[in-house]
Amino acid sequence: VEHVAMTDATVLICGESGTGRSLIAGTIHRQSGRKEKGFVQINCGSLPESLLEAELFGYAPGAMEGESSGKEGAFETAAGGTVFLADIGAMPMGLQEKLMRVLSDRAVTRIGGKRATEIDARLLASTNVNLQRLIQEGTFRPDLYARINVIPIEIKPLRDRKDDILP
């Protein structure tokens, strides 16, 4: 984690539920050169697709019913910091394509927006599912997997790390 924190590389943190994936992501951010900037965490599995899209990419004024002002998405809010996408394996395919565009272009266009905004945010992602299996099933994009799996960190379950259990 210390070595990874000093880079700006994208990190994929894998492990069962309860292994501390969020803790590792927070530690990477706090030990990085981006620690003074934002750390935005979004759980991809806990939000419906339309809300997840708005949280990730933001929306322009008037783009959402009942909202007259716009809202920054995670990548704009993190500005110079880190975006942590927990449970990325639960992200719908349509949003995976939009995320790929953001990562490749280093720019985000808000929902209903007309212009792209350049972004500078490091991406950390985590999953408790086998993304290779999801790729084979056709529910996860192989190009997104290649983009987020730059530095993989596999966290063993606590039952395999008994020395980590305090007395």
Side-chain angles (χ1 to χ4, degrees):
V1 168
E2 291 172 359
H3 295 296
V4 170
M6 292 300 129
T7 73
D8 270 344
T10 302
V11 179
L12 178 61
I13 306 164
C14 302
E16 294 178 8
S17 294
T19 55
R21 296 183 317 266
S22 296
L23 179 66
I24 295 294
T27 301
I28 290 170
H29 174 73
R30 284 189 304 279
Q31 292 183 5
S32 76
R34 296 176 176 268
K35 66 185 172 194
E36 301 299 324
K37 303 293 183 176
F39 179 76
V40 179
Q41 179 174 338
I42 296 177
N43 187 316
C44 299
S46 67
L47 299 172
E49 185 172 353
S50 60
L51 186 53
L52 179 58
E53 181 178 18
E55 289 296 314
L56 287 172
F57 311 119
Y59 52 85
M64 303 295 260
E65 190 173 325
E67 293 285 338
S68 60
S69 61
K71 178 182 182 248
E72 289 184 341
F75 291 96
E76 288 179 274
T77 302
T82 305
V83 173
F84 172 49
L85 300 181
D87 295 330
I88 195 165
M91 181 179 283
M93 286 292 278
L95 293 184
Q96 292 177 35
E97 181 177 340
K98 291 180 181 183
L99 178 59
M100 269 298 300
R101 195 171 316 118
V102 167
L103 296 176
S104 64
D105 297 348
R106 304 296 298 161
V108 64
T109 303
R110 293 180 184 180
I111 299 169
K114 297 195 179 351
R115 68 175 178 85
T117 302
E118 288 187 21
I119 57 155
D120 173 26
R122 179 185 196 175
L123 179 66
L124 305 177
S126 75
T127 185
N128 63 351
V129 297
N130 183 327
L131 294 180
Q132 293 284 359
R133 189 186 82 241
L134 295 182
I135 291 169
Q136 291 172 347
E137 294 171 359
T139 58
F140 201 83
R141 293 176 58 105
D143 55 350
L144 179 57
Y145 177 75
R147 179 83 57 165
I148 65 173
N149 195 37
V150 176
I151 299 178
I153 296 178
E154 182 73 35
I155 304 174
K156 295 179 186 176
L158 195 55
R159 67 179 168 275
D160 295 340
R161 302 181 283 136
K162 293 194 181 358
D163 290 343
D164 288 352
I165 302 173
L166 298 175

